[in-house]
């Protein structure tokens, strides 16, 4: 079953609670012979880490990854790659008030009912801290498929949307601002919006768009391992995600076939790309692009009604240091999972012809 | 790997091309002791079968399922359940013109590039005929989790949407009309729209909403087997699907935490249900609901530019008998996959406490 | 989980009871582009089929395999390969006496206790008829790894052993006699022994040795997918198998390191091969050889004490047509599973270097 | 695929090289609500650790396990259980002479050929140090199935065998001597033998017998997850193992059905137990017993011919501190894997009836 595993040939298995000793994981099936760029991995972790800007949580965690195996003299050996990230800054006392109370729209209630017990400190296993593990594995996967370019960016915050197609954006500008939106005008509005929301002790949702370019034709497997289905599952595994669409997405459901079909041109390219780079579950060489919806963070600095473990109505008031909007720090997570999915299918595809 | 398998403890593996001898599958992990209602299974197949109404493909296939093993004297034995559906009405000559030509927005091109060969007759393995296998398995899964009610319905065709929340609909009316929309007024408009589109030799997209009720608390596994992530993957596996959202979905990405949070009331219920019945990947006992976007069918009865296998520009004109809108026949498919996912998690959940 | 599945990248899933409509399976992950030799597959099935000689069961079943998908114009397409074998000669009345009685050393009792029900006709799912499915898949796998030579043969029946190392045998002679022992002198004794045992209404055990030659270096994965561990699991999955040893096997446990070590010579070959062609779970290019122990068939034509489903002591007398010794018909089964394991690792090994 | 994972519902994934920072693993699927006895786990590790007696390697490693997640206030939470064991005593310089030379009957050659690279320090990933991870997971699994008694012991060293059936042994005496043989007379001879062999700079093989008692009826799954096949695969995964037999084993292959069949008596027990507690792959409630063959350790303190990485003939002389016989320290490993297999099937069996 492997509840805590992701992927097939390239497989990440993880552990760790927000306030335990450490989080970490094991990357299985990573091929031998890849020279590892450790700085690139740490850089991705830094993009995800708390405390990096005024519009994210002010918790400070260095999030330094330590590799424990599978890499020898800087090169992967084909053996399992173990790694861990120490938990250094757990203010457990911030969470003591949650011991016996179910935070609305968190997973406290469902964990308690399912398991009969839970590690309530900082959300325990449900904490998005887990995603740091994914970023490590994804950053490594990127190095396996270095010929593929993966770029995610903030495409909306609340009702502020970039009003351009992604083709008009310069992805090299994504990290130029703290909201990670490559359109400077929209970015400014988004940042202002998040600051205003934060001041209210409230939170806000947003969307991330991800584009994978230079993907070879043939990645993905038909029927139950379609490329977009695995990407969708990956994105829906991220905390706070409520929706996934690729190519024409939900808009495609309003269209007619005659306008939606991607007409072939020479060389197997298509004039339009409403298919989103995937046909029949298999990459066709065009850009793969998709959009991911994130709900507003559930922890707010306002009073909310809730219940305690005995079912009594009570009130809760958010404490601690939380993100007013999860989207800026989720960019590297979206990219990491995309890389893991593509790298897995890249390896699989080596076995599909005799 | 199991490219053609779906599920974990309850696992469906399938085979079959549109124009081969038969399609079929093996259902593994189905518990012993379930008295099988064969009529209920055939009834679901009939909801999916071609030729059932004026707004679907006019192909005629009886789609009769034959069980080959795993059921003895009408009761499941715990052994693998083999089944097949004969292919009886394959007008292969309808497809001969596609031998060497890539149909736009189909999977002809990607299969050819990936495998170096393909069964071009009626789409071969890429045909949505495969979904008949899923309906068989899903109908059986429904009988394992008979206490859960699963209702899917057409929520939009093109730009015609039901303008009511699902709570105001009577699911017992879904099959009262051929478009399978429980709102009679919308249904009429949708049917008219599809007929008009069909007359143009065109096709149109739509959305399906699915609601699972009376789901016990605790189904789903955190991290990489979240209930909504598996549902999303399942839905994205259906031919023509471009998007998936659950609970507040993409709308949730525009909201603030203070309006999005589902406040607890007594007994663990919540006042609102923007979470869509799932928190932290685990069912919380509220209704699970989600929405699936289907693009318009790619085969249209109009001339389209395309290329042949040698890369030369050519023209294609759809022949054969195709659906102008895939949504009405996809209702039982959405329900079937939902049942498979929930039944799988239902079994898994038996093992999560000592 | 996939209780009825075998293999990883190349994966066989099966169904079928001895006296159901048909048995069959789905071969998943078989690469595209292999031209299928159907005669070679049927020939392997014929080596396994009942009624082929005086020393095996006299049941007559043609065991003709029908492929249903995944092969187009004689070539594999990369899609799931479905197949079935009709059950044509089920004398169910032979088995009616077993309805309520547990045959000693069969699986009647354990199935009933585990599942609360069972298909008692001819052993149902527990019948070795299932192995016909394996022979089909294995014969196909052989065609994927045609550069590897796999030869199994009867190395003992009761206390009659071939008294030569396998290197002195001519595998092309294995099928020259009905017991499938390439040593003519031993073969004669074995055949006489089986005939004598049969006359007594009794059965007898034996061993099969299998040799895989021209295996490339590098097949197998360390830790939990060691090549010999997968081979062992495969062999122990065959009905009636009680033991597995490879290379020096149980004899190796009596030896000293200085005599057991395989000293390297030029080109990476070794002087001796007590390792059995596998070191650290990975093939080293030398012959892989192993031995499999089969217990005597449990169904005997003699009176035996037993109990019925209510726990009452009763007596049973074997009826029907059974093998006095399972070994001659198990030769193609051992080869088939060996081919499946090697083909799976052959595919996997394509992904282990960047 | 999960090359480094073992088990299905209860699943261990591991990492670590002999001379890396640490080894460790993740236990997935362990149910919530088990109060952990940490001392019992450390005690099993101590039974495996080097330096514990005069007849094992004199390396000193404390082998202290640290749990990192999945256990809260001493009770399992249902979340992934991460753990690690620091490597504290790696005399890497002992191994420098092996950098470029392939040790006979080790995995140096096969790793190099397969991966194109290897961590040569102390065998790297091929080191039996990995089995410490298994002992941790197995000791935890024992606590989940505390009603089952698992006892392994040394049944032979070289040609010295216990000459009694296991029923006449007192398992509480196994740890009374350093060779872990519950028969004091045999133990003395075995110890003398190992000391003599060690003096010669040589090594010697042996066998371990394992008995699982009070196993409930119904564990194991037919076809490809037979209980004995999984046990066999587990045992064959242990470094140096060359063979596995259960129940009558290889002796059964010499017997006749009339003597081999286990006749039922009242209550479903059997008079004899040549089946070894498993029929049709499923436990029948009788004792499960099996025997595992270990070859002599490959590292000897004598000169041996070998080749270097360039294929040149050279000579090697074992250095470092190695076991003269692996069997005494392998007892807890055999028990650990047995516990993991049984616990996995125990969980699975909760799902096999509706």
């Amino acid at each position: 079953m492997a509840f805590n595993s992701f992927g097939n040939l390239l497989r990440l298995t993880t552990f760790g609670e927000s306030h335990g000793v450490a989080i970490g994981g094991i990357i299985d099936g990573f091929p031998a012979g890849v020279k590892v760029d450790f700085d690139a991995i740490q850089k991705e972790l830094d993009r995800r880490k708390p405390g990096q800007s005024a519009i994210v949580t002010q918790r400070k965690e260095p999030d330094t990854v330590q590799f424990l195996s599978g890499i020898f003299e800087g090169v992967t050996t084909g053996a399992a790659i173990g790694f861990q990230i120490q938990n250094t800054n757990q203010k457990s006392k911030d969470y003591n008030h949650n011991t016996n109370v179910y935070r609305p729209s968190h997973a406290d209630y469902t964990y308690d009912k399912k398991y009969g017990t839970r590690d309530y400190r900082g959300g325990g296993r449900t904490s998005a801290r887990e995603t740091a593990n994914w970023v490590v594995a994804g950053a490594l996967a990127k190095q396996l498929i270095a010929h593929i370019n993966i770029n995610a960016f903030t495409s909306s915050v609340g009702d502020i949307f970039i009003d351009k197609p992604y083709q008009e954006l310069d992805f090299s500008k994504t990290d130029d601002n703290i909201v990670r939106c490559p359109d400077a005008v929209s970015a400014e509005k988004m940042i202002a919006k998040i600051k205003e929301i934060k001041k209210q002790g409230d939170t806000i949702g947003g969307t991330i768009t991800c584009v994978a370019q230079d993907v070879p034709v043939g990645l993905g497997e038909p029927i139950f391992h379609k490329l977009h289905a695995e990407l969708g599952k990956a994105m829906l595994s991220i905390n706070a995600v409520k929706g996934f669409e690729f190519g024409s997405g939900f808009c495609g459901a309003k269209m007619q076939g005659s306008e939606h079909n991607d007409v072939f041109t020479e060389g197997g390219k298509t004039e339009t790309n409403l298919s989103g780079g995937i046909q029949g579950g298999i990459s066709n060489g065009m850009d793969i692009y998709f959009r991911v919806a994130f709900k507003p963070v559930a922890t707010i600095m306002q009073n909310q009604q809730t219940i305690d473990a005995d079912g009594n109505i009570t009130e809760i008031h958010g404490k601690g240091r939380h993100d007013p909007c999860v989207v800026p720090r989720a960019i590297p997570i979206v990219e990491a999972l995309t890389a893991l999915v593509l790298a897995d299918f890249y390896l699989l595809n080596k076995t599909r012809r005799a």
Side-chain angles (χ1 to χ4, degrees), chain A:
Chain A
M1 268 308 306
F3 307 108
N4 295 281
S5 291
F6 182 80
N8 298 291
L9 271 179
L10 181 64
R11 192 170 179 91
L12 170 67
T13 303
T14 64
F15 72 86
E17 280 89 43
S18 174
H19 286 58
V21 181
I23 64 169
I26 301 174
I27 302 165
D28 203 350
F30 200 92
V34 174
K35 191 163 167 33
V36 179
D37 180 343
F38 294 101
D39 290 342
I41 296 169
Q42 189 59 49
K43 198 183 140 221
E44 290 298 319
L45 269 178
D46 291 346
R47 295 175 85 205
R48 196 213 73 99
K49 81 173 171 189
Q52 63 181 272
S53 81
I55 60 168
V56 305
T57 172
Q58 295 308 300
R59 282 196 310 276
K60 292 281 181 199
E61 279 165 314
D63 280 357
T64 307
V65 63
Q66 180 186 23
F67 287 96
L68 303 170
S69 69
I71 302 170
F72 184 58
E73 298 177 346
V75 177
T76 60
T77 63
I81 299 172
F83 67 87
Q84 65 178 9
I85 302 169
Q86 300 291 326
N87 288 331
T88 54
N89 184 21
Q90 321 102 344
K91 291 204 183 178
S92 279
K93 64 179 182 299
D94 279 358
Y95 301 100
N96 283 347
H97 61 300
N98 294 336
T99 312
N100 197 30
V101 172
Y102 298 135
R103 294 169 297 161
S105 288
H106 273 279
D108 303 338
Y109 174 79
T110 51
Y111 266 62
D112 234 14
K113 293 297 166 192
K114 182 179 183 73
Y115 298 110
T117 181
R118 75 190 157 99
D119 179 348
Y120 51 78
R121 299 166 304 162
R125 185 66 175 142
T126 76
S127 165
R129 180 150 181 71
E130 157 73 7
T131 58
N133 288 327
W134 310 355
V135 169
V136 171
L140 202 56
K142 276 187 181 178
Q143 301 182 23
L144 180 61
I145 50 167
H147 50 292
I148 298 177
N149 291 302
I150 300 168
N151 286 287
F153 58 89
T154 301
S155 43
S156 74
V157 168
D159 55 7
I160 305 165
F161 284 76
I162 302 182
D163 57 358
K164 296 173 186 166
Y166 77 81
Q167 291 86 345
E168 295 176 22
L169 301 173
D170 178 355
F171 298 146
S172 74
K173 301 219 155 97
T174 298
D175 277 20
D176 284 359
N177 56 67
I178 56 178
V179 78
R180 294 204 168 90
C181 170
D183 179 56
V185 178
S186 303
E188 206 170 319
K189 290 185 206 163
M190 290 170 177
I191 294 167
K193 180 73 177 177
I194 295 173
K195 287 183 173 170
E196 174 202 329
I197 287 289
K198 189 186 171 189
K199 217 171 284 175
Q200 298 166 13
D202 211 341
T203 60
I204 193 156
T207 61
I208 291 175
T209 295
C210 184
V211 185
Q213 293 170 310
D214 304 309
V215 180
V217 184
L219 303 198
E221 296 296 328
I223 312 304
F224 294 120
H225 280 73
K226 293 191 169 88
L227 179 47
H228 57 270
E230 293 292 329
L231 286 169
K233 180 186 161 170
M235 297 306 138
L236 289 158
S237 299
I238 305 174
N239 307 45
V241 169
K242 305 297 290 182
F244 170 86
E245 58 176 8
F246 75 106
S248 62
F250 277 89
C251 285
K254 299 183 194 165
M255 294 172 76
Q256 292 176 219
S258 55
E259 52 181 343
H260 192 280
N261 282 354
D262 294 319
V263 167
F264 280 105
T265 58
E266 272 166 279
K269 300 278 168 198
T270 59
E271 271 179 20
T272 49
N273 182 20
L274 291 159
S275 297
I278 303 171
Q279 287 174 331
I282 299 168
S283 63
N284 68 354
M286 302 294 289
D287 288 357
I288 293 173
Y289 62 98
F290 54 85
R291 213 160 63 94
V292 188
F294 290 78
K295 69 168 188 171
V297 171
T299 302
I300 57 176
M301 302 299 119
Q302 300 181 355
N303 290 332
Q304 293 179 92
Q305 176 188 303
T306 191
I307 55 169
D308 63 20
D310 301 317
N312 302 314
I313 300 282
T314 178
E315 199 167 67
I316 194 169
H317 188 100
K319 289 183 196 167
R321 297 148 301 170
H322 297 277
D323 288 279
C325 179
V326 81
V327 166
R329 288 178 56 211
I331 301 291
I333 303 168
V334 166
E335 290 184 3
L337 290 177
T338 302
L340 281 172
V341 169
L342 291 175
D344 192 16
F345 279 118
Y346 162 78
L347 292 176
L348 279 172
N349 204 38
K350 294 187 175 195
T351 70
R352 306 306 288 120
R353 288 207 199 187

